[in-house]
Amino acid sequence: MINGKLLKQYDMPVALGITHLTTIAFLLNSSEDMPSWVAAYAYFFASTCILLSNIFQPTKGFLSGIAVATFIATVIRSIRISSLNLHGPGVDFPLGLMGAGAGVIAALIYSKSNTGWAIGGGFTIGCVGTLGGYLLTMIFACNTVLYCGPTFSWGF
């Protein structure tokens, strides 16, 4: 059984391991439908957020939540780019990652203000904050200034 001390000790290696394995998997599968820049952006975003968040000593599992949320955002992007016929790489994914970064900052502030969370709480806060920032930015940007296909656009 993993207690809180072990999770805090192994949160950084687990988060970096998830980030590296995600990048390797997407780079091995890179093609015209799924270019390698998607994996590179996701890798640099996740590793930067993990390293910068680690400075503020977040709650247990927070860093792994960031890594899993970045993996989910990359999977969403790869499904969208392979199923749609969009011309060019677009700026929606880097823009969504900027929103995810804002979500990481908001989740980090929230997790530092609430210290009563259990072990899974840090993971949940990190994952929901990152994915929430990504999805809110994508929905807002794809309905105001960009066309991102029918996934995020409401047809305006």
Side-chain angles (χ1 to χ4, degrees):
M1 181 167 170
I2 297 178
N3 59 15
K5 185 177 180 181
L6 283 176
L7 184 60
K8 182 69 175 175
Q9 180 181 359
Y10 293 117
D11 191 26
M12 178 74 134
V14 168
L16 289 177
I18 292 170
T19 302
H20 285 85
L21 289 175
T22 300
T23 305
I24 290 170
F26 281 105
L27 284 178
L28 290 176
N29 192 28
S30 65
S31 64
E32 187 177 311
D33 290 334
M34 177 64 183
S36 61
W37 63 266
V38 172
Y41 279 176
Y43 172 75
F44 288 119
F45 167 77
S47 59
T48 302
C49 284
I50 288 168
L51 294 175
L52 290 178
S53 294
N54 196 35
I55 293 171
F56 297 104
Q57 298 179 353
T59 57
K60 302 170 185 103
F62 187 82
L63 302 177
S64 297
I66 293 172
V68 169
T70 305
F71 168 72
I72 293 170
T74 308
V75 167
I76 290 170
R77 174 61 180 170
S78 67
I79 290 171
R80 286 186 54 245
I81 204 168
S82 64
S83 65
L84 296 174
N85 189 11
L86 297 176
H87 302 288
V91 296
D92 56 343
F93 189 63
L95 186 65
L97 288 181
M98 284 189 264
V104 167
I105 293 170
L108 186 62
I109 292 170
Y110 180 76
S111 71
K112 294 303 280 184
S113 65
N114 286 340
T115 58
W117 283 89
I119 294 170
F123 176 82
T124 305
I125 291 171
C127 194
V128 168
T130 307
L131 270 179
Y134 175 77
L135 292 175
L136 284 175
T137 303
M138 291 297 289
I139 289 171
F140 177 75
C142 292
N143 285 305
T144 56
V145 294
L146 298 173
Y147 176 72
C148 306
T151 307
F152 290 109
S153 297
W154 291 328
F156 298 122

